[in-house]
Amino acid sequence: LTLILSAAFVMRVAGIHYGLPYIYHQDEPMMVNHALAIGTGDWNTHYFVIPPFVSYFLFFVYAVFFIAGRVLGLFESSGDFLLFYLKDPTAFYVLGRFFIGTLFGTATVAVVYAAGKRFFSKDAGTAAAIFMAFLPFHVQHSHYIYADIPLTFVLSLVFYVLFCLLEKPSMRNYLVLGALVGWAGGTKYVAAYFLPAVLLAHVFAAPRAWLRFEAWKKILLSGLTALTVFFITAPYTFLDWSSFWGTMKLQSAAEVPTGLSHHFFYSIVGGSGVLFAMLALFGGYVLATKYRRIFWVIAAGGISYYAVSAYFSQHFARYMLPLTPLLCWCVGAGWERLSQHLKKPASGFLLALVLLILAVPAVYSDALFFKEDTRTACLRWFEKNVHYGAVVAIDNRF
């Protein structure tokens, strides 16, 4: 496990300085600038396209950075801190990418291992963690400051607790589940698409008594806990309702039907490989035959999330990141079943082959993060060859 987590960390921390001091990811400044703006004393980010958890989290990271800078004599005042950012934002973006991308991304691998080991087997959990550690589009997006990687981490915890609920439907598990669901919603609204998995797990947890008052008391208290945590992580959703609702109506125009096949071929297969996707499908069959209740909980969450995304989403591959822990558990279970029917050299070869198919594009992606961005190269050429006062023709202002 130490080797797997170390590899996952290295894959996600390598190249997090890419592009800096220039900002080439269009969504990162939304998180960073709103986090810094909280320093003016206004906790309302006035930005409701996604909930403010990431910006709040970053604000505390930057607050610690500011205090450390004051102690070390880097900043004398908040004005010096702002000037430091305006001169060169590199430190702020490296810190953000490290805490939002690298750490949450690596922690997701640990949760995938823990759940796989506990609910399937040690071999299945180990394989699932290895695949998660090198999954190309999870590695790539773990280099960015945005909500997708933290959301994937929280959702992996949600499913861990859902599996626990199937074993022991205690009030404690329901309350922990509610807190995690609220945290997930406060990270990104699309977490709501996984609610069918929560409801199905509740039904499975008490198959003969799920309609009784005692069972519904647990799910209602879980729901109240979720709302409370959501309010803590995204209070101005309620306190500034008119702005929130106005943003939601505007943002809905950007969500379009992508079609049923787009995210499967472009995002999942494109972000992992054909063999990985085939093993995931086979692993789903294994779960359906050996771990039936877990399979249906995973299927309920995965299908509902994918179906909504097919008709109300965007084309970017990162929209499928919340499904990656579910896919890795399926692949881990699929590989374990195949390894039971194959001789050791053959099963080891299969594991190595899948790992190679994942690792090559993931390592290549990291190598690209180390290279100078082509836009930076263009800027260097421009500064060297185009003199002050020259006329520049612009083909497209957008």
Side-chain angles (χ1 to χ4, degrees):
L1 179 60
T2 302
L3 287 173
I4 295 169
L5 292 179
S6 298
F9 178 82
V10 169
M11 292 298 296
R12 286 155 179 79
V13 79
I16 62 169
H17 65 289
Y18 87 95
L20 297 171
Y22 308 108
I23 312 302
Y24 293 132
H25 192 296
Q26 64 183 16
D27 293 325
E28 286 188 308
M30 299 177 191
M31 305 295 101
V32 174
N33 293 346
H34 285 106
L36 290 170
I38 295 171
T40 64
D42 186 0
W43 285 87
N44 185 355
T45 60
H46 305 280
Y47 177 72
F48 297 101
V49 173
I50 64 168
F53 167 74
V54 171
S55 291
Y56 285 169
F57 187 88
L58 277 179
F59 167 74
F60 287 109
V61 171
Y62 295 152
V64 172
F65 180 38
F66 173 68
I67 293 169
R70 286 288 299 269
V71 171
L72 296 173
L74 293 175
F75 323 116
E76 294 294 330
S77 65
S78 58
D80 289 343
F81 191 62
L82 177 60
L83 191 60
F84 182 79
Y85 169 72
L86 294 174
K87 283 181 176 179
D88 186 347
T90 296
F92 295 83
Y93 278 82
V94 168
L95 281 171
R97 290 170 182 174
F98 180 80
F99 282 97
I100 298 298
T102 302
L103 291 190
F104 277 111
T106 304
T108 305
V109 178
V111 178
V112 166
Y113 171 80
K117 178 185 177 183
R118 175 171 175 179
F119 299 104
F120 308 132
S121 70
K122 185 177 180 181
D123 285 347
T126 301
I130 290 172
F131 300 143
M132 192 75 202
F134 289 93
L135 198 60
F137 73 134
H138 191 273
V139 169
Q140 177 195 346
H141 288 278
S142 293
H143 288 74
Y144 305 140
I145 307 171
Y146 204 56
D148 301 285
I149 295 300
L151 173 66
T152 303
F153 167 72
V154 182
L155 286 172
S156 68
L157 289 175
V158 167
F159 275 90
Y160 184 96
V161 177
L162 286 177
F163 301 159
C164 290
L165 206 67
L166 297 175
E167 289 185 347
K168 186 179 181 182
S170 64
M171 181 62 79
R172 178 181 178 275
N173 281 338
Y174 271 98
L175 293 177
V176 172
L177 174 65
L180 290 171
V181 168
W183 182 13
T187 305
K188 203 170 183 182
Y189 305 119
V190 296
Y193 303 166
F194 287 94
L195 286 179
V198 175
L199 296 175
L200 188 61
H202 169 65
V203 173
F204 283 160
R208 293 189 179 90
W210 66 277
L211 281 175
R212 293 178 183 173
F213 174 75
E214 189 64 29
W216 278 104
K217 184 176 73 173
K218 292 178 181 178
I219 197 71
L220 286 173
L221 287 174
S222 181
L224 287 173
T225 305
L227 284 173
T228 302
V229 174
F230 179 76
F231 178 80
I232 292 170
T233 54
Y236 288 94
T237 301
F238 305 100
L239 300 178
D240 192 4
W241 176 261
S242 59
S243 297
F244 163 76
W245 190 243
T247 299
M248 289 298 97
K249 288 191 289 187
L250 286 173
Q251 180 64 18
S252 64
E255 309 298 318
V256 297
T258 61
L260 279 175
S261 63
H262 169 76
H263 278 303
F264 178 76
F265 290 105
Y266 173 73
S267 306
I268 295 174
V269 176
S272 60
V274 175
L275 183 57
F276 180 90
M278 291 173 62
L279 262 179
L281 293 173
F282 176 69
Y285 164 76
V286 172
L287 294 183
T289 56
K290 190 175 181 181
Y291 309 95
R292 187 167 297 176
R293 294 193 304 169
I294 286 179
F295 166 77
W296 283 114
V297 169
I298 288 176
I303 291 172
S304 62
Y305 181 84
Y306 188 92
V308 176
S309 298
Y311 292 100
F312 190 74
S313 181
Q314 296 182 22
H315 290 81
F316 304 117
R318 61 182 170 84
Y319 276 76
M320 291 297 105
L321 284 170
L323 296 181
T324 52
L326 310 184
L327 292 170
C328 286
W329 286 322
C330 289
V331 174
W335 175 81
E336 183 193 30
R337 172 64 65 86
L338 287 175
S339 67
Q340 293 170 354
H341 296 281
L342 297 172
K343 294 181 179 179
K344 277 192 174 181
S347 63
F349 175 77
L350 177 62
L351 180 66
L353 180 62
V354 179
L355 179 58
L356 182 67
I357 290 171
L358 297 178
V360 168
V363 171
Y364 180 65
S365 174
D366 278 358
L368 291 178
F369 281 125
F370 276 103
K371 295 184 70 174
E372 183 179 64
D373 192 280
T374 52
R375 289 161 289 192
T376 303
C378 178
L379 172 64
R380 304 281 183 233
W381 181 92
F382 199 90
E383 290 175 334
K384 181 179 179 181
N385 294 280
V386 181
H387 302 293
Y388 181 79
V391 175
V392 179
I394 300 176
D395 176 63
N396 188 325
R397 288 183 179 273
F398 182 78

